[in-house]
Amino acid sequence: MQNNTITKQHFAFFTVIYLFFLSGCQSTPANKSAILLAQQGEFESAKQTIRTDYSATGKSKLLYYLELGMLNHLQGNYQLSNQQLTEAQQIIEEQYTISISESALALLSGPAYTTYAGKIYHRPLINFYKALNYNALANQPNAERQTFLDSALVEMRQLDTYLSGLKDATGGYNNEEQPSGLDQLTEQIDNLTRPLFAPNDLLKDIEYKDDAFAHYVSGILFERNQELDSARIQYQRAIQAFENGFAKQYDINPTVVTQIKKDLIRVMEAAGGYSNEVAQLKSELEITASKAAQPVLNILQDVGIGPQRKQFNLLLNVDEDAKALVMTPILWGTQQEQQAQMRWFQMLYADTSLFDLIQNYATGDIGDVVMGGLTKRIPLGPMWDDAVDIGLISALEYGSRISVTYLEPLQQQIERSEIWVGEKKVANLDKIYSVSLLTLQDALNNANSEIQIALAREIVKSLTAQKAISATGLDSSFSGFAKLATSVVNAVTASADLRQWHSLPAQINYVQLPLSKGEHTITLKTYLASGIVLEQSETIQIVDNVTLWHTRTFLQETRIETPDSTFL
């Protein structure tokens, strides 16, 4: 009984220590602070924040170049932006092969000690923003217009090569159902029993495997440069990806696909030789009469700031009676953050499936079943003796902290965005790309592997400490204190990798307008859920058949006038 009391006191003390050190875990990263400064128009302060906290040669050098590249893009320093984004692109390509030494360091110290390699969807966005920079340069007075336009298309060709490799690796969006290899009855049984063996089936079909938005922007730029065959191919690829899964996965309005089909009709009619395909598309869209071709203005609106990755902590303990490892969330931060942490845990890790309930009932007692939504139990079964032999059970006597990431909840801050030409409203914009959902689905897709690696890392650290204590020959009273002390040290050093490209927008909205050639005053009105209306205006000279206006809208009460739009 006395030993149990001591253990409980140790456990309580250990938990307090955890909470003390966790108090500093939710601080705002430097690059998030930088984009918050940028939305107030304080670009030089924002860039200095990045230079102070990140190095051009350190483990986070990719973020150094990504953030500075975006800040200079927003400030209108297009040449410098492209130089920095090119550096970022090269770092991503170099980091495809992670060194063995860095993998070992990550296992012992944590992922934040490795070189940040970015996310799979970052590379297309680098090409996208570089192309926007080149097109903005082409529209400056006395610019070498064609040279810059050609450079933009080079970015699109590089992007197409990257996406082709991505589709080869993932299968892309294929509208053909793959045969399961099972007869109908067996397949029905398999569908019924699959949840028993795959509780995380909710993570199905959230892999980033192609980019319909990138294909569409490529098509716009190719059409603008009168490369009609390349434009046709990119529009077709965009339609295929949108219709076969991209639109559903990222919650894109079907009106976007309708617009791309109209664009496809336009380039095929201009190129000639596609009468059958044009007739089929017009029939599908119920277009009964052809309209005379006229110039179009494509508008892209970057909105807001993407969601932030935060640290989420769990306590790993041993249940000797049930012969199981038990993970319990340690909630910390504001009430909203604690709710988000618990929901994230219950969504991904908690013992809430039928299979988990059966395991808890079989290995524990009724209380384990009730606690299933608040814990994650890992029954060791016949592996228990091996865990005892290698010292794992002893090493986890006082528990260990596991740190993983979670994503703050996505908030719908805008009601709608409108385009006005002169004094007349002409259209609403639709969401065409969601960086927020890309970030969320990437986090969900990596959640299981992240927690498995974190679990392995803390077990290795605990075992290493246990062996070191045993080697000292301390008696039982001192060894108990030593184990508690090393558990506290491991708790302090446990950390998740919170690095991300913070200056990306939350989403991108889009609309296409038919406009005659000449000068037009375009006003973008963004209506927030709070009732505030943000206005941005630009005088645009329409001289080509295809024009693109790109702008960034920060969701704040006071509109700061900054050169954050690129008229193309």
Side-chain angles (χ1 to χ4, degrees), residues 309-320:
R309 292 164 63 88
K310 295 184 177 181
Q311 184 161 292
F312 177 37
N313 301 278
L314 304 106
L315 186 62
L316 176 64
N317 275 90
V318 173
D319 185 340
E320 295 190 26

Side-chain angles (χ1 to χ4, degrees), residues 85-103:
L85 292 176
T86 298
E87 291 283 352
Q89 183 175 323
Q90 291 173 352
I91 292 170
I92 289 177
E93 292 170 353
E94 291 169 359
Q95 284 301 115
Y96 278 147
T97 303
I98 301 175
S99 69
I100 295 176
S101 60
E102 282 215 341
S103 298

Side-chain angles (χ1 to χ4, degrees), residues 260-486:
I260 304 173
K261 290 180 177 178
K262 292 178 179 178
D263 295 332
L264 180 58
I265 290 173
R266 184 176 62 246
V267 297
M268 289 196 296
E269 286 183 332
Y274 297 96
S275 56
N276 292 336
E277 291 86 346
V278 168
Q280 183 177 348
L281 280 170
K282 286 185 174 181
S283 175
E284 177 186 340
L285 299 177
E286 298 182 350
I287 298 175
T288 56
S290 297
K291 296 182 179 179
Q294 65 180 120
V296 295
L297 171 65
N298 296 283
I299 299 173
L300 291 174
Q301 178 197 24
D302 285 7
V303 182
I305 301 171
Q308 181 176 335
R309 292 164 63 88
K310 295 184 177 181
Q311 184 161 292
F312 177 37
N313 301 278
L314 304 106
L315 186 62
L316 176 64
N317 275 90
V318 173
D319 185 340
E320 295 190 26
D321 293 333
K323 295 185 177 180
L325 302 179
V326 180
M327 290 190 297
T328 307
I330 306 172
L331 306 182
W332 192 258
T334 64
Q335 183 178 5
Q336 182 179 358
E337 287 174 327
Q338 291 184 42
Q339 290 177 345
Q341 292 163 17
M342 178 54 72
R343 289 171 182 169
W344 189 268
F345 176 79
Q346 290 176 328
M347 177 171 61
L348 287 170
Y349 307 126
D351 296 338
T352 53
S353 73
L354 177 59
F355 176 72
D356 287 326
L357 294 176
I358 292 172
Q359 286 289 340
N360 284 336
Y361 194 87
T363 60
D365 57 18
I366 296 299
D368 295 320
V369 177
V370 175
M371 288 293 292
L374 304 176
T375 62
K376 176 63 178 179
R377 185 172 296 272
I378 308 172
L380 296 182
M383 295 184 293
W384 176 264
D385 291 338
D386 293 334
V388 173
D389 291 340
I390 65 174
L392 173 60
I393 304 306
S394 177
L396 293 177
E397 181 178 355
Y398 298 106
S400 185
R401 179 165 70 94
I402 300 171
S403 294
V404 293
T405 59
Y406 78 99
L407 210 65
E408 62 184 9
L410 308 183
Q411 297 180 349
Q412 185 60 41
Q413 295 180 271
I414 67 171
E415 290 186 349
R416 68 186 185 279
S417 293
E418 299 175 348
I419 284 294
W420 292 60
V421 178
E423 299 298 321
K424 181 180 179 182
K425 175 191 170 182
V426 295
N428 287 337
L429 284 80
D430 290 311
K431 180 175 67 177
I432 192 173
Y433 200 64
S434 177
V435 177
S436 292
L437 283 177
L438 275 165
T439 307
L440 174 61
Q441 293 185 18
D442 176 79
L444 292 173
N445 202 36
N446 293 316
N448 276 342
S449 61
E450 182 185 24
I451 198 168
Q452 287 170 355
I453 293 171
L455 179 62
R457 179 170 55 251
E458 296 311 314
I459 288 175
V460 168
K461 286 164 63 177
S462 296
L463 285 173
T464 302
Q466 171 70 8
K467 290 178 180 179
I469 292 169
S470 299
T472 64
L474 293 173
D475 62 36
S476 59
S477 59
F478 282 102
S479 65
F481 177 78
K483 282 195 287 186
L484 178 60
T486 54

Side-chain angles (χ1 to χ4, degrees), residues 173-184:
Y173 292 98
N174 194 334
N175 61 353
E176 296 181 4
E177 290 288 337
Q178 297 296 321
S180 65
L182 304 175
D183 60 62
Q184 185 176 1

